[in-house]
Amino acid sequence: MLAEGTADEVVVVDNGSSDDSVAVLRRALPGATVIAREHNGGFAAGANAGIRHAHADVVVLLNNDAVPAPGFVRALRDHLTRAAPEVAAVTGRIVLAGRWTGLPAGVVPAPDQRVLRDHGGRAWTPSADGEVRLNSTGVLVDRDGNGMDRDWFAPVDRVAGVDVFGFSGGASALRRSALDDVGLLDESLFMYYEDTELAWRLRRRGWRVEHASDAVVEHDHSASSGVQSDLFVFRNARNRMVVALWHAPWGTVLRASARTLFRGLRGLGAGSTRREARLVLAAFGDVARTLPVHLARRRRESQRASVPRRRVDPGA
């Protein structure tokens, strides 16, 4: 995590490493504040620890698997300085690390082949002679409550709009006054959808998010957890429903829940997808068991909001 004030301040959070990472960081970054957390509380807990230790009006978040281009922090800071006072966050331009080649329709990837899929379902695999592609120019939420990277796998020269629903927690700048207004990232989510959830809270209090195309980072997507890991599958399915329950109109909540249940039931008899199906159904069951807690949170969010939910609904 980077913080910008009258002088640059660098705060690095080690989120419960079990090796010598803390000692390595302190040797490599003698001018930085290194915070060593005893346990891994997830992305939100790590980021919040850094934010609490920073002394700045603007806080810049940067993932451990992202490499900033020269001028990244300055571009975010300058954009936020010039922006209207209701702009709470500025999200950067995230480029996928390496080069990627789209597989032709019908081609089945090898079992050990790394594959990512774009929003249309096309499979992409790393390739030395492939193309550089975008990871994100901000976060969108569809009518089913699904959070997604805007411009995922779009050509790297795609021109993105300035206004966007949410920011990417891995490469963004946040205005301290906005965080003081709505609070920090929600640590109960542990990992995934924390930035989307915070964007909902910001928007329901009248704040906005913008994109800075000149704030560029290269990101090794899901290098830490992997898109097929048990952690990713369970948390992604669970947190999509939870965030919808807390913030979205009832139509979105119902579609998000139905989509999750259908995905789990459909996969039970599909061989290699049974593991994923069981995890998705476990996520659905977790939310169902704790439904009163989430409904209480929904009421609290409505009481705190100053903008009606229907005016924020990204799927409308």
Side-chain angles (χ1 to χ4, degrees), residues 23-107:
V24 171
L25 287 168
R26 286 174 173 156
R27 287 196 303 268
L29 302 169
T33 299
V34 178
I35 301 170
R37 287 177 47 83
E38 185 175 353
H39 303 291
N40 181 3
F43 172 80
N48 286 347
I51 293 171
R52 293 187 183 104
H53 278 78
H55 305 88
D57 295 330
V58 174
V59 179
V60 175
L61 301 179
L62 183 68
N63 262 9
N64 63 325
D65 53 6
V67 179
F72 166 73
V73 173
R74 182 177 62 253
L76 289 175
R77 179 194 58 209
D78 291 352
H79 186 111
L80 200 52
T81 299
R82 295 190 301 267
E86 70 271 14
V87 175
V90 177
T91 191
R93 184 176 184 84
I94 305 177
V95 178
L96 280 167
R99 292 178 173 273
W100 298 81
T101 294
L103 298 180
V107 173

Side-chain angles (χ1 to χ4, degrees), residues 199-210:
W200 270 103
R201 273 187 279 143
L202 288 167
R203 287 193 167 272
R204 295 207 65 202
R205 288 286 295 170
W207 296 94
R208 295 194 298 109
V209 178
E210 291 188 349

